[in-house]
Each structure stands twice: as C-alpha cells, then as structure tokens.
C-alpha cells in the first residue's frame, strides 16, 4: 500500500520545518500533532489553555473536513499537556467537539513541547474509507 503525504491548505504550512501534517495509507489517515497555530502560522492563546485547545481541535477538524471526513472519523487520539492543572479546562473544550462517542485517547503530561508557549498538542488517526 502506497503512502501519500498531504499538505492541507486549511492549516499552517510545514514547509521548511521537517514534517508533514498528514500521511495517508489506504483508508487510514495519520495526522501529526496539532498545536495552536492558526492557518497563518500565528500562535492562538498564548498562556490560555482553553484558547489553545480550541485552536488545536479546530485544526484537526479543518484537516479532516478538507479530506472529506469529520471528527467522528477519528479512531485514536494522543494528547500532550504541559500542566496537570490544565486538565479540567482541556476537558471543557474537548467536550464541545466530542459528546458521547469519545475516541480512544492517550493523555500524557510532558515537561514541554516544541516551543515553550505551546500548552497542548494532539495527534490523531482517522479512518476515511472511500474518500
């Protein structure tokens, strides 16, 4: 099965930074960890976990919609938070995007992400048959 690298127009560019947002292998889509950058590459919500979480989920949603899917197509998430104190705020925002059928999620608390201003990063695997 061939791997296809996808550069979605709906999120910030990764040109020159050494990674791609999306790889597709058959009906499975692997989305790199999304951070709180808007499509212009600017950080949303410096110091604000709710604003950053909102942007991260908006990025995931935009990528999936661009590929013909939705958040409901996610089969696995991995979430990285830099502060245990952010968990309740993170969950409040997450619950705006998912209701009853939460996808499996691994939640990790880490000492830092790629930039000290990033508070949350979420990667996803989605199943998009026939798109």
């Amino acid at each position: 099965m061939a791997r296809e690298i996808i550069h979605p127009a709906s999120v910030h560019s990764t040109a020159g930074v050494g990674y791609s947002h999306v790889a597709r292998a058959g009906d499975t889509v692997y989305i790199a960890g999304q951070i709180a950058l808007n499509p212009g590459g600017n950080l949303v919500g410096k110091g604000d976990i709710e604003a950053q979480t909102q942007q991260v989920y908006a990025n995931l949603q935009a990528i999936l919609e661009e590929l013909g899917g939705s958040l409901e197509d996610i089969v696995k998430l991995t979430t990285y938070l830099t502060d245990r104190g952010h968990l309740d705020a993170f969950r409040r925002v997450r619950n705006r995007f998912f209701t009853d059928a939460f996808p499996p999620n691994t939640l990790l608390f880490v000492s830092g992400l790629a930039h000290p201003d990033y508070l949350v990063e979420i990667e996803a695997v989605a199943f998009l048959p026939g798109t």
Side-chain angles (χ1 to χ4, degrees):
M1 172 179 345
R3 175 189 71 151
E4 175 187 6
I5 298 298
I6 300 169
H7 302 284
S10 55
V11 291
H12 67 279
S13 172
T14 60
V17 292
Y19 76 99
S20 302
H21 280 293
V22 180
R24 183 177 199 137
D27 293 335
T28 305
V29 173
Y30 301 88
I31 303 173
Q34 293 299 297
I35 49 178
L37 296 182
N38 65 18
N42 300 306
L43 178 65
V44 173
K46 182 177 180 179
D48 183 341
I49 187 60
E50 289 194 41
Q52 287 198 24
T53 302
Q54 175 76 30
Q55 183 63 48
V56 168
Y57 277 118
N59 289 349
L60 290 169
Q61 186 172 37
I63 289 168
L64 288 164
E65 288 176 357
E66 188 172 331
L67 298 176
S70 72
L71 292 174
E72 292 178 5
D73 297 306
I74 292 174
V75 296
K76 176 69 172 86
L77 292 168
T78 304
T79 302
Y80 303 88
L81 293 175
T82 61
D83 186 330
R84 287 183 188 278
H86 292 159
L87 186 56
D88 288 339
F90 163 79
R91 286 179 172 159
R92 277 194 300 276
V93 176
R94 179 206 56 200
N95 293 350
R96 292 182 214 149
F97 288 88
F98 297 100
T99 52
D100 294 331
F102 291 102
N105 180 57
T106 300
L107 174 66
L108 301 126
F109 293 98
V110 297
S111 63
L113 296 167
H115 188 281
D117 290 335
Y118 300 161
L119 304 176
V120 57
E121 183 168 339
I122 303 172
E123 63 183 22
V125 178
F127 185 66
L128 299 176
T131 58

